[in-house]
Amino acid sequence: SQQGEEDPQALSIQEGENATMNCSYKTSINNLQWYRQNSGRGLVHLILIRSNEREKHSGRLRVTLDTSKKSSSLLITASRAADTASYFCATDNFNKFYFGSGTKLNVKP
Amino acid sequence: SAVISQKPSRDICQRGTSLTIQCQVDSQVTMMFWYRQQPGQSLTLIATANQGSEATYESGFVIDKFPISRPNLTFSTLTVSNMSPEDSSIYLCSVEVGTSGSNEQFFGPGTRLTVL
């Protein structure tokens, strides 16, 4: 399968709580990227982390990468109802991008 | 960054017909990608399209079913041929922008295809 795995498949939290999503992949990568997709809409690029980086921050987002375990995590802090969306990791396998299975996040107001 | 448009945004087609989806980028890019997103699923890479060469297809996708054109550095088309209801999906094109090691991918808005 092209796709990596993400867990959990679905996550429901209260506004203000933190949300953590995990992504595992299969092969060596150039970088890993996280995307958000609101229901029925396009993909929004959130953050890119290179293979030689271990952690990266952008606003309320924190991404970690462990290449030895072939895994990454996305942490959204102080979640808001507007964060409700599907989140996908995508690995840059040297000019090919493969997406994980996605996590559906529901943030309840 | 890159701004990408797709036409049509959506279509409803009859079984057995073909639909060509256009993808236009606002800057010249070397590589363009076509993805399919079936309902409730993640994105699956169909093929990579480089200008001046034949597209490279992923396992499970063939040129006869999904012919691709890449006539220049800002444009590509994907045709979904001899459609069946199983082809009902969102089809997205994307481009890669950036320097080696930091290539970001930008996506078009997608074409929502329904096959009856």
Side-chain angles (χ1 to χ4, degrees):
Chain A
S1 167
Q2 287 184 12
Q3 297 174 349
E5 296 297 320
E6 287 186 57
D7 76 271
Q9 288 188 332
L11 179 62
S12 185
I13 59 175
Q14 291 294 139
E15 205 165 29
E17 294 179 340
N18 295 342
T20 299
M21 289 159 265
N22 302 296
C23 165
S24 61
Y25 56 92
K26 300 176 181 177
T27 64
S28 296
I29 61 171
N30 199 23
N31 63 60
L32 186 144
Q33 305 180 32
W34 284 90
Y35 290 83
R36 183 184 72 220
Q37 186 178 40
N38 291 76
S39 180
R41 304 181 72 175
L43 284 149
V44 175
H45 185 272
L46 294 177
I47 196 166
L48 178 153
I49 186 165
R50 296 192 195 93
S51 60
N52 62 354
E53 296 177 315
R54 292 296 166 258
E55 188 170 313
K56 204 160 182 180
H57 297 253
S58 176
R60 293 184 296 113
L61 305 179
R62 173 177 163 250
V63 169
T64 63
L65 178 64
D66 186 335
T67 52
S68 67
K69 295 181 180 178
K70 291 186 169 58
S71 66
S72 174
S73 67
L74 170 67
L75 168 67
I76 303 174
T77 60
S79 64
R80 305 167 182 167
D83 295 329
T84 294
S86 291
Y87 291 82
F88 297 94
C89 66
T91 53
D92 177 356
N93 297 54
F94 303 95
N95 296 330
K96 289 190 178 182
F97 290 80
Y98 296 119
F99 279 76
S101 50
T103 294
K104 290 185 180 178
L105 174 65
N106 179 33
V107 182
K108 294 176 282 189
Chain B
S1 66
V3 177
I4 305 169
S5 60
Q6 283 185 234
K7 289 182 183 179
S9 59
R10 58 177 62 221
D11 207 343
I12 301 173
C13 301
Q14 295 296 320
R15 181 196 298 261
T17 63
S18 298
L19 175 71
T20 295
I21 302 167
Q22 300 178 6
C23 178
Q24 181 76 51
V25 190
D26 68 342
S27 57
Q28 293 185 337
V29 293
T30 302
M31 303 182 76
M32 295 180 77
F33 305 87
W34 286 97
Y35 288 85
R36 179 175 73 185
Q37 186 177 27
Q38 293 175 303
Q41 304 292 316
S42 184
L43 283 76
T44 301
L45 179 63
I46 298 172
T48 304
N50 291 342
Q51 194 267 336
S53 63
E54 286 210 357
T56 304
Y57 289 83
E58 296 297 304
S59 176
F61 297 96
V62 295
I63 188 170
D64 289 346
K65 176 67 176 177
F66 297 102
I68 287 171
S69 78
R70 183 80 202 275
N72 57 54
L73 291 173
T74 63
F75 187 79
S76 178
T77 67
L78 170 77
T79 299
V80 186
S81 303
N82 188 24
M83 290 183 284
S84 67
E86 292 70 35
D87 294 320
S88 297
S89 289
I90 298 173
Y91 291 85
L92 302 103
C93 68
S94 74
V95 302
E96 185 180 52
V97 176
T99 56
S100 178
S102 298
N103 293 338
E104 291 187 19
Q105 230 188 1
F106 294 90
F107 285 83
T111 295
R112 186 180 293 272
L113 171 62
T114 302
V115 184
L116 302 176

